[in-house]
Amino acid sequence: MKNVKIRRLGLVLVMVMAVFVMAMGGMVFADGGESAPAPSFGIFSLLPPLIAIILCLVTKEVLPSLFIGIWVAATMMAGGNPVSGFGKTVEMLWTNLGDPWGARIVLTGLAMGGLVGIMWVGGGIDAVVQWITSKIKSRKGALLATELAGFIVFYEDYVNTLVVGTAMSPITADYRISKEKLSYIVDATAAPIACIALVSSWIAYMTGQIGAQFDALGITYSTYGAYVKSIPYIFYNIVALILLTYVIWSGRDYGPMLAAERRAISTGKILRDGAQPLSATKMDEELTPSDQCPRRLINFFIPIGSLVCLILFLMLKTGGWPEVSITAAIADAGTSVALCWGSFGALFITIVLYRIQNLASTSKIFKGCMEGMRAIVYGTLILIFAWSIGSAIKEVGTAKFIVSITQGVISPGVIPLITFIVASMISFSTGTTYGTIAVMMPIVLPMIHESSMAAAIDPMTFLFATIGAVFGGSVFGDHCSPISDTTIMSSMFTGSDHMDHVNTQIPYALMGAAGAAMGYVGVAMGLPVLVNLILASGVTLVLFRVMSKPIDMELVQQEEKG
């Protein structure tokens, strides 16, 4: 173990030294000197995300890896001076923490963590666990219940990770389901569903990006209508959900996930030895609800119901309802404001509810709240670092470089395919869905519009397919990148080791991406969208069936009988 740590440390030091050498060399390729407003680093712009991601995967130390990635980018922007780059790195951290949107998300996370802590000390978590456990009779039932819960909380990916991760963690632990598997289910039913739900917190941004390009191109088609028409072409999201369902029903896994599930079933260890979960899996002994504390379901459903209802109501209000329609209000909602106000409102309601029933002393309730917040501080720090590297990557032009190497070399029919591949690369490298959409839409929509007109092909079909490819490719990174906020929050609220979650999920995400790519090949061939969906799903499921192996079902059955 000591030798492994030494090797990892040596690898980190070597890579840091190499990075600074390359960063300084990259200045040669910059357009102009230090005073140039927007230097172009070319292929060197790939260094910050690649270094951060490789270090994350190799060392399993997320915060230092992200810091080094930010430092690399900052050093490049500082003309190759690592000292100035270090100062700029720290500046990026406080800038992203102080950004109003980021600050609201941090406060939301803390409030949600506090809410979970209070529900723990007041018996709300115990009540729902006991109720759901009485309905579930098998390991597969626990997995399906987790997936169903993810489908129910469809409108906001952050809320999804909190509600599903918190409610199902103790239940899945009882059935020896690994934290890796739980975080995969939670993550796979967060962003992929929110993106294709007809009403969700994502609608505003997605329709806004479509609308901006439609206005510039003189397209009068409804932006919301274009979004709806693009949903069947968001192959990655649909295939990822189909794959998830088949994984649960088949009782099969492959790669690191198979090892994790066999470990959990055979030893009862839902976390590997040495894992570092992003949140505490248990509260302190003194904060557990007393035997005299009644386990009432209302003490779970009222806090969660108030959270959901407040956020939905505030989304509508910030979007202009009732002066505008519900659809229009959700499309223009202030999501981060609604999340922050709603989470604090639910926190207050829960404190009052629990004190009225005298479920716990005021002191114990507030200790539970603080413990809940403390449990997710590490995950919150990772969020801040992830946002910071996203800002750094934007400044060095990583996304622009990836896009530039594909422009002008593709025919109209394969634009959706290339769009999906490039969007997937950008979203994985940057960890941001919204940022990828913002980069891709202004480039590919004019491209497909002009190309389809010139080639006399059906312009609207390829336009919808290209929009779907942008969304699908953007969600790919949100689903599996180690620096994605949704991936981080899935680890946080399920109590999983973050890099264990990433390492076990990436093979499934890549399999879904391979199937989606085949779907876009079908688009290039002019096949109907339903055929392309079948092709994409079929390729993914066949790959999974060939590469996967059954989990040891004898052990599962013994556990269920016991």
Side-chain angles (χ1 to χ4, degrees):
M1 182 64 70
K2 186 176 179 181
N3 290 335
V4 171
K5 290 183 177 179
I6 292 174
R7 284 198 298 269
R8 286 180 177 175
L9 179 60
L11 176 63
V12 171
L13 293 175
V14 169
M15 292 189 77
V16 170
M17 292 173 61
V19 163
F20 284 135
V21 171
M22 288 186 284
M24 291 180 185
M27 301 305 109
V28 176
F29 297 93
D31 292 334
E34 229 181 306
S35 61
S40 174
F41 296 99
I43 195 170
F44 286 89
S45 65
L46 299 175
L47 281 176
L50 283 178
I51 292 297
I53 291 170
I54 290 171
L55 286 177
C56 279
L57 295 174
V58 172
T59 68
K60 301 188 186 301
E61 295 292 342
V62 183
L63 283 177
S65 300
L66 292 178
F67 186 88
I68 290 172
I70 302 167
W71 192 2
V72 171
T75 300
M76 294 168 67
M77 290 182 282
N81 186 332
V83 177
S84 298
F86 188 90
K88 188 170 179 62
T89 300
V90 178
E91 181 182 343
M92 285 183 179
L93 291 172
W94 82 54
T95 299
N96 280 276
L97 177 60
D99 175 76
W101 184 88
R104 286 192 289 265
I105 295 302
V106 168
L107 288 173
T108 297
L110 291 173
M112 287 181 172
L115 179 65
V116 172
I118 293 173
M119 286 193 295
W120 177 266
V121 302
I125 299 292
D126 275 3
V128 77
V129 168
Q130 291 172 9
W131 179 69
I132 296 177
T133 302
S134 68
K135 306 295 181 184
I136 296 173
K137 304 302 180 184
S138 66
R139 191 175 195 271
K140 184 180 291 186
L143 292 168
L144 288 172
T146 305
E147 182 184 18
L148 178 61
F151 275 88
I152 292 171
V153 190
F154 65 87
Y155 66 92
E156 167 55 39
D157 51 336
Y158 285 4
V159 177
N160 182 303
T161 58
L162 165 74
V163 174
V164 181
T166 300
M168 299 307 297
S169 283
I171 297 165
T172 52
D174 286 344
Y175 284 93
R176 295 192 176 190
I177 295 169
S178 66
K179 287 292 185 181
E180 292 92 333
K181 190 63 163 284
L182 174 61
S183 55
Y184 163 58
I185 298 174
V186 170
D187 209 350
T189 55
I193 289 181
C195 181
I196 61 176
L198 295 175
V199 177
S200 77
S201 62
W202 289 42
I203 300 298
Y205 190 80
M206 294 190 296
T207 55
Q209 290 292 327
I210 295 171
Q213 301 313 311
F214 277 17
D215 289 343
L217 296 171
I219 299 174
T220 57
Y221 199 92
S222 163
T223 54
Y224 185 77
Y227 159 70
V228 173
K229 290 281 190 179
S230 73
I231 290 176
Y233 293 98
I234 308 179
F235 295 143
Y236 177 78
N237 300 35
I238 298 170
V239 168
L241 295 171
I242 292 172
L243 174 61
L244 171 64
T245 304
Y246 185 72
V247 167
I248 293 172
W249 274 107
S250 67
R252 301 170 70 92
D253 276 304
Y254 82 104
M257 187 72 80
L258 178 64
E261 282 289 83
R262 286 181 170 173
R263 178 203 69 224
I265 293 170
S266 60
T267 68
K269 295 179 179 179
I270 58 174
L271 284 164
R272 67 172 173 83
D273 292 334
Q276 298 178 352
L278 288 198
S279 65
T281 54
K282 291 184 179 180
M283 287 286 185
D284 290 342
E285 192 74 25
E286 63 182 59
L287 294 177
T288 57
S290 65
D291 294 336
Q292 292 75 35
C293 178
R295 271 61 167 177
R296 299 179 180 133
L297 280 175
I298 61 168
N299 292 326
F300 178 84
F301 287 114
I302 289 180
I304 295 301
S306 64
L307 175 72
V308 171
C309 292
L310 281 172
I311 291 173
L312 277 174
F313 174 74
L314 289 166
M315 285 175 63
L316 292 172
K317 291 299 291 182
T318 57
W321 181 82
E323 286 77 17
V324 300
S325 67
I326 291 178
T327 301
I330 290 180
D332 200 31
T335 303
S336 65
V337 173
L339 283 168
C340 193
W341 285 351
S343 58
F344 273 92
L347 186 65
F348 175 76
I349 289 170
T350 305
I351 292 172
V352 173
L353 174 70
Y354 281 28
R355 281 304 299 135
I356 288 174
Q357 299 176 75
N358 198 29
L359 299 175
S361 66
T362 301
S363 174
K364 188 170 183 178
I365 284 176
F366 279 103
K367 282 182 180 178
C369 181
M370 292 300 103
E371 183 68 14
M373 291 182 177
R374 185 198 65 78
I376 66 167
V377 165
Y378 182 59
T380 302
L381 285 173
I382 292 179
L383 273 179
I384 296 167
F385 276 62
W387 293 332
S388 299
I389 197 171
S391 299
I393 287 168
K394 184 177 181 181
E395 289 200 39
V396 299
T398 302
K400 290 181 180 178
F401 172 74
I402 294 175
V403 170
S404 69
I405 61 177
T406 64
Q407 278 187 287
V409 296
I410 51 180
S411 61
V414 298
I415 287 178
L417 173 61
I418 301 300
T419 295
F420 173 74
I421 294 172
V422 174
S424 297
M425 293 169 60
I426 293 173
S427 62
F428 187 81
S429 299
T430 62
T432 168
T433 297
Y434 283 12
T436 304
I437 293 171
V439 168
M440 294 297 294
M441 283 291 186
I443 295 171
V444 297
L445 288 198
M447 187 189 307
I448 192 68
H449 183 65
E450 295 170 10
S451 299
S452 60
M453 292 298 186
I457 60 176
D458 180 4
M460 296 311 291
T461 296
F462 278 87
L463 193 68
F464 298 146
T466 304
I467 293 171
V470 171
F471 292 150
S474 299
V475 167
F476 169 80
D478 193 289
H479 185 200
C480 67
S481 172
I483 59 176
S484 159
D485 51 3
T486 310
T487 306
I488 293 166
M489 294 188 83
S490 295
S491 301
M492 188 188 304
F493 288 116
T494 59
S496 173
D497 180 291
H498 182 54
M499 290 314 301
D500 286 350
H501 169 43
V502 171
N503 289 334
T504 53
Q505 182 168 257
I506 282 179
Y508 292 80
L510 289 173
M511 195 168 281
M518 288 304 300
Y520 293 116
V521 170
V523 171
M525 296 169 61
L527 300 177
V529 64
L530 181 59
V531 174
N532 294 328
L533 272 172
I534 294 172
L535 176 63
S537 303
V539 167
T540 300
L541 295 181
V542 168
L543 282 173
F544 175 76
R545 187 71 188 186
V546 169
M547 298 180 67
S548 65
K549 295 179 181 178
I551 302 170
D552 192 338
M553 296 308 296
E554 289 184 3
L555 288 171
V556 175
Q557 290 164 2
Q558 289 173 12
E559 179 65 18
E560 290 172 356
K561 289 177 181 178

